[in-house]
Amino acid sequence: MHFKVRAAAKEDCKEISRMIMELAVYENMADQVKTSHEDLKRDGFSPNPFYECLIAEVPDEHKTKDGHCLAGRSTCGHVSVSGQRQPGYTVVGYALYFYTYSTWKGRSVYMEDLYVMPDFRGKGIGTGLMAKVAQVGVEKQCVRLQLSVLEWNKPSLDFYIAKGAEDLTAKEGWHFLRFHGQTLDTLAKEAPKD
Amino acid sequence: MDRFKLRKAEPKDVPDLLRLIKELAKYEDMEDQVILTEKDLLEDGFGDHPFYHCLVAEDPSEQSPVVIGFAMYYFTYDPWIGKLLYLEDFFVMKEYRGFGIGSEILKLLSHMAVKSRCSSMHFIVAEGNQASIEFYKRRGAADLSLEEGWRLFKIDKSSLLKMSSAEE
């Protein structure tokens, strides 16, 4: 299947938001999604962006059987006001990433989300998106790419391991921790005054 | 704790930062994995596109102030909740522990996270490092690897090159 990978434009934020929710549903965590497409626009397309995003598109003749992209929404072939989205193409996947830093190794790229809509899997689109993230990372002199996967998500685990990914949680015992919401506020209130 | 000072790192702190990075790596039994140089740290933290931010803790009581602790962090993004503060490294020299310096650094980082509209502060800890895990859990940290099953993966440069050349 012919597909294209390109940098996301701010007009893509509604589509990205839709797919973020689809990925969260797949991970059984839909109730945790709080961002809107407006948040994504502000955070990814201002002078100081907090992430970068790649979009995968297919020509309209490959859109899903019911003639829509998803659940009756007809976004196929839509051209945005700025004309950046190409007519006749449908957004079917995305990769969201940002740059991180390792005090041991230096610049790294972290791939936060990689998603391809179910009807478009098995056609090399996920591989194409990830290869582009890898290429961007190498161009920025990053020495590695990191990502995280849920332990039960066997298709994804297999996908990444086939590309050379190593499980650092299994190999070196790394765990993700966080201070979130109330626990963060509590700590913040006790900070030393300026 | 009043004896010590917390401030933003400056370019002149780079030699001390590398010294402390190596001390932390030694504590984690991974000293030989530090390949970063002072030149990398200077360019990557204080150049046109900073990849990290840093706080340092100083002991001003010596003839000239000595950097005795640091925290390196940067901002990341969670598509579900937005901006996050990611704590990459956090270390206080052995002889300066037990004075509350680590606690004060963590509180200042939390305050900075809240001020910049981050809903969460994330970091990783090796499961063998019980002292650090207890330090964080006592202050309310949740272990997402245990609670939700998240595993961290890495892909090294050789595999990245392979992937990006297959793309052509």
Side-chain angles (χ1 to χ4, degrees), chain B residues 2-160:
Chain B
D2 285 344
R3 187 178 132 203
F4 304 103
K5 186 177 155 193
L6 292 186
R7 59 169 176 80
K8 278 203 169 113
E10 294 161 34
K12 68 177 171 109
D13 296 313
V14 159
D16 283 312
L17 286 181
L18 190 57
R19 170 177 61 84
L20 294 176
I21 284 166
K22 286 182 174 167
E23 278 192 43
L24 174 51
K26 197 170 173 183
Y27 171 81
E28 289 170 338
D29 285 327
M30 300 197 190
E31 200 181 359
D32 56 326
Q33 294 209 35
V34 180
I35 59 171
L36 219 53
T37 62
E38 284 180 17
K39 185 168 174 281
D40 295 324
L41 277 175
L42 196 62
E43 196 182 312
D44 295 339
F46 301 95
D48 294 328
H49 173 185
F51 281 80
Y52 69 86
H53 306 283
C54 212
L55 291 174
V56 295
E58 223 171 33
D59 180 355
S61 66
E62 304 292 319
Q63 275 205 323
S64 55
V66 177
V67 173
I68 50 96
F70 81 106
M72 179 186 280
Y73 64 97
Y74 39 82
F75 295 97
T76 62
Y77 202 74
D78 181 325
W80 299 354
I81 53 176
K83 283 171 63 176
L84 305 177
L85 190 148
Y86 188 87
L87 179 55
E88 173 64 34
D89 265 13
F90 178 24
F91 181 76
V92 174
M93 286 170 67
K94 193 168 177 194
E95 48 271 48
Y96 287 92
R97 287 176 211 158
F99 294 104
I101 299 171
S103 269
E104 291 302 295
I105 293 177
L106 202 63
K107 287 174 196 170
L108 184 54
L109 287 168
S110 304
H111 173 72
M112 290 167 68
V114 169
K115 227 169 62 167
S116 20
R117 224 188 359 97
C118 296
S119 34
S120 209
M121 180 160 71
H122 284 209
F123 48 100
I124 56 173
V125 189
E127 67 196 2
N129 188 351
Q130 278 307 305
S132 294
I133 293 177
E134 288 308 311
F135 175 88
Y136 295 122
K137 284 200 159 155
R138 267 201 302 276
R139 286 156 179 78
D143 184 333
L144 295 183
S145 292
L146 283 181
E147 285 181 27
E148 294 178 6
W150 290 101
R151 309 180 81 90
L152 176 66
F153 281 77
K154 71 160 181 181
I155 297 181
D156 278 338
K157 190 150 183 197
S158 54
S159 300
L160 290 183

Side-chain angles (χ1 to χ4, degrees), chain A residues 34-35 43 101 103-104 107 135 145 147 149-151 166-169 173 175-180, chain B residues 35 44 77 79-80 88-89 120-121 123-125 127 142-145 148-149 151-155 168:
Chain A
K34 309 284 181 234
T35 51
D43 296 335
Y101 203 72
T103 46
W104 299 352
R107 301 177 189 185
Q135 193 179 68
L145 183 149
L147 51 107
V149 189
L150 286 161
E151 62 195 2
E166 282 179 71
D167 183 341
L168 293 184
T169 297
H175 284 220
F176 284 104
L177 270 69
R178 73 169 180 190
F179 288 101
H180 185 71
Chain B
I35 59 171
D44 295 339
Y77 202 74
W80 299 354
E88 173 64 34
D89 265 13
S120 209
M121 180 160 71
F123 48 100
I124 56 173
V125 189
E127 67 196 2
D143 184 333
L144 295 183
S145 292
E148 294 178 6
R151 309 180 81 90
L152 176 66
F153 281 77
K154 71 160 181 181
I155 297 181
E168 305 307 333

Side-chain angles (χ1 to χ4, degrees), chain A residues 6 38 40 79 89 99 102 121-122 154 156 183 189:
Chain A
R6 62 165 174 83
E38 295 293 349
L40 289 176
V79 178
Y89 272 79
Y99 302 102
S102 154
R121 289 180 201 156
K154 191 145 192 329
S156 294
T183 58
K189 285 195 175 80

